Amino acid sequence: MAQKSEKIHTEKTSLHERNLHRERYDFKELITTYRELAKFVFVNSFGDESIDFANPEAVKALNRALLKHFYGISYWNIPDGYLCPPIPGRADYIHYIADLLASVNGGKFPVGKDVKILDIGVGANCVYPIVGYREYGWCFVGSDIDPVSIDSARQIVDKNPSLEGAIDIRLQTSSKYIFKGIIQPGEIFDITICNPPFHASLAEAQAGTKRKLTNLGLTKGQKPMLNFGGQNAELWVEGGEETFVRQIIRESAEIPSQCLWFTSLLSKKTTLPGVYAELKKVNALNVKTVEMAQGQKVSRFVAWTFLDKDMQKKWIHERFKK
């Protein structure tokens, strides 16, 4: 009974039921997979093993251990100063979009390379495609406007033979567009995903970084370290996430039959009214909002389609019932 009680206590029940990271990090087990993690692990004031989450090198080491242990990724690295994302939260988005695909496929999520996903803003870390391919076998295209991120993501793909043929990394050469120049004429995607930059300015991004550092117990007054939270293009865009997602919506309306579902994460609930207004403007036929929670943080993603039920059935029959 005691063992069962401990498991309930340590389980992160807010994460998706298929998320491999529902249990607390087992540092001893992770160290057996990636020994370099050991030098960053210590016992905290609660008597639990942990790392300093304000130390970028410690977080990188944890991510390398998680990606190797759970997803078989032998090489993973990002340039200094680039976003080092929490793996459990990234995995949650992937599992929820699998549920979205299942919702129009008789409750069964499709698997295999015939399923094609576009990750808008793949970043230097390439985490969404890694998790999506290793968990469901999906094929990915990852786009980004930053050449350094593109080079990093390509290195991750090239140095992991298990990812061969599964992930295509494409550079967006124009800051004016999101889909244009990435999605080719006649190219089909089953779903698009995006984790947009959510700050509206550099100052706002730095303030957010400072709050994170304060919450982690770092000394007050320390200069905000953008290497803790990512590069400018990863963190902020003029107008914030609402402007960015509204642009995605407008461009999606220009290619309504080239994708079954378009989706984007939204970190702020206050963004929803503007996004809904844009979706109404472009006559999206079906809009869904899916809430996700990782601990105390609550986020959500919005999904929309321009295909009616008959068109969805035809899509599913042609794409998923081969």
Side-chain angles (χ1 to χ4, degrees):
M1 289 295 290
Q3 186 176 2
K4 184 177 180 182
S5 175
E6 182 182 354
K7 184 174 182 180
I8 292 172
H9 175 71
T10 60
E11 190 177 22
K12 302 170 187 174
T13 53
S14 61
L15 294 178
H16 191 282
E17 62 182 6
R18 291 193 302 277
N19 196 319
L20 298 177
H21 311 288
R22 285 171 65 89
E23 299 295 323
R24 293 178 63 177
Y25 296 134
D26 186 335
F27 286 100
K28 287 184 174 61
E29 195 172 68
L30 290 173
I31 288 167
T32 64
T33 302
Y34 183 67
R35 290 183 180 179
E36 287 297 306
L37 177 63
K39 63 185 178 184
F40 299 106
V41 176
F42 65 93
V43 177
N44 63 23
S45 58
F46 299 100
D48 298 321
E49 287 188 322
S50 187
I51 64 166
D52 178 3
F53 285 93
N55 178 350
E57 291 306 313
V59 178
K60 276 187 189 180
L62 175 60
N63 277 11
R64 289 187 186 113
L66 292 170
L67 290 168
K68 187 174 184 181
H69 186 78
F70 290 100
Y71 305 105
I73 300 301
S74 57
Y75 170 86
W76 185 85
N77 195 24
I78 56 173
D80 290 342
Y82 278 72
L83 189 64
C84 193
I87 305 299
R90 294 289 167 112
D92 244 32
Y93 189 13
I94 293 295
H95 291 300
Y96 275 107
I97 67 166
D99 290 346
L100 178 62
L101 291 173
S103 72
V104 293
N105 190 41
K108 182 180 179 182
F109 47 80
V111 297
K113 286 188 176 181
D114 287 336
V115 181
K116 193 171 181 181
I117 315 291
L118 172 62
D119 179 10
I120 303 163
V122 65
N125 57 78
C126 200
V127 167
Y128 285 128
I130 288 170
V131 176
Y133 175 61
R134 297 301 292 173
E135 286 285 71
Y136 298 101
W138 298 336
C139 185
F140 277 79
V141 169
S143 69
D144 208 286
I145 199 166
D146 178 28
V148 176
S149 290
I150 290 292
D151 289 343
S152 175
R154 282 177 177 161
Q155 276 195 53
I156 291 169
V157 174
D158 292 344
K159 292 185 178 182
N160 286 283
S162 64
L163 302 178
E164 185 178 357
I167 303 170
D168 180 19
I169 305 298
R170 301 178 187 176
L171 176 66
Q172 173 57 272
T173 57
S174 173
S175 60
K176 294 180 180 180
Y177 302 120
I178 294 169
F179 292 139
K180 289 180 181 179
I182 296 297
I183 298 181
Q184 303 305 308
E187 188 174 21
I188 297 295
F189 287 91
D190 297 296
I191 201 162
T192 69
I193 63 174
C194 182
N195 188 356
F198 52 87
H199 294 300
S201 67
L202 175 60
E204 187 180 309
Q206 289 178 328
T209 298
K210 192 171 183 179
R211 280 195 301 273
K212 286 182 181 179
L213 293 171
T214 301
N215 291 339
L216 288 166
L218 267 70
T219 55
K220 293 181 180 180
Q222 185 167 341
K223 185 179 178 181
M225 299 184 299
L226 279 181
N227 68 324
F228 173 73
Q231 292 292 294
N232 291 346
E234 296 176 304
L235 290 173
W236 72 274
V237 66
E238 189 173 347
E241 68 177 8
E242 180 175 333
T243 296
F244 193 87
V245 176
R246 291 180 83 141
Q247 174 72 12
I248 295 176
I249 293 167
R250 287 192 293 273
E251 288 193 35
S252 72
E254 297 174 5
I255 50 169
S257 60
Q258 286 182 248
C259 185
L260 175 57
W261 285 102
F262 299 90
T263 79
S264 179
L265 285 171
L266 296 174
S267 67
K268 301 174 182 178
K269 198 171 183 178
T270 53
T271 304
L272 286 170
V275 167
Y276 292 152
E278 197 69 46
L279 287 166
K280 186 175 181 180
K281 196 182 296 183
V282 299
N283 297 315
L285 291 183
N286 192 358
V287 176
K288 296 185 178 184
T289 304
V290 179
E291 289 211 344
M292 305 182 296
Q294 292 97 42
Q296 295 180 338
K297 180 185 176 184
V298 177
S299 63
R300 76 274 314 148
F301 71 86
V302 173
W304 65 96
T305 184
F306 297 98
L307 307 185
D308 61 28
K309 288 187 178 181
D310 288 339
M311 295 168 74
Q312 289 180 35
K313 285 180 182 178
K314 182 181 178 183
W315 183 291
I316 291 159
H317 179 75
E318 292 178 352
R319 303 271 305 158
F320 303 159
K321 305 294 186 183
K322 293 178 182 179

